Amino acid sequence: MPYWWPSVDTTDTSGYCLSWRLAVESNNIRAWRTVPTQCSRHVEAYMTAGQYQRDLNLIVDNIFTYIDSIHLPYDGFDAWIFDVDDTCISNLFYYKGKRYGCEPFDPLAFKAWALNGACPAIPDVLRLFNKLIQTGFKVFLVTGRNEDTLGQATVQNLDDQGFFGYERLFLRNDSYKGQSAITYKSDIRRQLVGEGYRIWGNVGDQWSDLQGDYVGNRTFKLPNPMYFVP
């Protein structure tokens, strides 16, 4: 008996954009430079009309369940890692001006935005962050932001948004110049493991936050269809 396969309406832009976003989040499409022009409104609706928030809520609730299953030895070496941009704090307002990722990344424009220190906390992640601190984890923040140009603004922005009590914030310095995010973040995690830390969890909005070496016991990918960091 022949297999039946439904026909596909190739003119259905909404359907295409749903498929494109799924492929991005599952890391089947890689090294993409911009959101497809026809998907600008789809990404805008996803990010602003509630589905992004629902997805975040589901992921964070599952992380809470995982945390509650861990029996900590409370020796001070139980670690958790967070990315910063679009993990702890949001650049949604910046990307609104870039048509939600349809325009190429502009490093100078992003630097000017980040220097304002106006990135709001992502509430579900702040809730998770506080849960981890209260539970006894040592939380480390690892970002690709440049230490010399954005270090002070980043620290202040995090402080203003309620991210208190983390163990250390790692920013890129000249020794990591030109390295991919995977290489840079793997090296930071290697250092922490070398210091004796056990990485129980690792949260980021990019696959490059969660790939490479010493990724931890569990990794959790937050949605971000606006840009790709290799």
Side-chain angles (χ1 to χ4, degrees):
M1 181 177 179
Y3 288 107
W4 174 82
W5 201 257
S7 61
V8 176
D9 180 1
T10 56
T11 65
D12 180 5
T13 300
S14 175
Y16 168 79
C17 294
L18 279 168
S19 298
W20 177 84
R21 182 163 56 83
L22 173 62
V24 162
E25 292 300 344
S26 58
N27 206 28
N28 288 324
I29 295 179
R30 303 180 184 182
W32 52 278
R33 290 179 56 83
T34 60
V35 171
T37 302
Q38 66 267 39
C39 296
S40 175
R41 290 191 175 182
H42 170 83
V43 173
E44 177 182 6
Y46 173 74
M47 295 299 299
T48 64
Q51 190 58 52
Y52 168 73
Q53 182 57 49
R54 286 188 287 271
D55 290 350
L56 273 180
N57 186 262
L58 178 66
I59 294 166
V60 170
D61 282 350
N62 276 272
I63 299 175
F64 269 64
T65 300
Y66 168 59
I67 293 168
D68 290 339
S69 73
I70 299 172
H71 300 286
L72 296 183
Y74 294 103
D75 60 1
F77 287 95
D78 297 295
W80 201 285
I81 295 176
F82 284 89
D83 171 54
V84 173
D85 283 299
D86 296 297
T87 297
C88 292
I89 53 178
S90 173
N91 295 296
L92 181 60
F93 295 128
Y94 170 79
Y95 279 96
K96 179 180 180 180
K98 297 295 181 181
R99 296 170 55 225
Y100 297 94
C102 287
E103 297 179 15
F105 180 71
D106 182 341
L108 292 179
F110 182 80
K111 176 184 172 183
W113 156 259
L115 282 171
N116 289 328
C119 301
I122 297 176
D124 276 317
V125 178
L126 181 57
R127 175 169 64 95
L128 171 61
F129 174 90
N130 287 329
K131 164 78 169 179
L132 290 164
I133 298 293
Q134 293 161 8
T135 303
F137 287 93
K138 296 296 177 66
V139 175
F140 297 88
L141 308 181
V142 186
T143 175
R145 290 186 177 199
N146 182 272
E147 184 174 43
D148 291 336
T149 57
L150 293 177
Q152 184 176 352
T154 303
V155 170
Q156 188 62 55
N157 196 160
L158 288 165
D159 188 68
D160 290 344
Q161 293 302 315
F163 287 92
F164 309 119
Y166 56 84
E167 192 71 10
R168 260 178 275 171
L169 168 65
F170 293 93
L171 300 105
R172 272 189 191 260
N173 55 38
D174 287 343
S175 63
Y176 294 108
K177 187 175 182 179
Q179 291 188 359
S180 70
I182 293 175
T183 301
Y184 157 59
K185 294 194 173 187
S186 290
D187 190 62
I188 297 298
R189 296 191 298 262
R190 179 190 60 78
Q191 293 176 40
L192 292 175
V193 170
E195 294 174 20
Y197 286 101
R198 297 176 291 271
I199 301 174
W200 287 96
N202 186 0
V203 182
D205 69 296
Q206 299 291 316
W207 281 102
S208 54
D209 299 327
L210 311 174
Q211 294 174 324
D213 300 324
Y214 308 99
V215 295
N217 191 52
R218 288 285 306 273
T219 62
F220 299 91
K221 169 72 168 65
L222 304 185
N224 184 354
M226 298 185 294
Y227 60 88
F228 178 90
V229 177

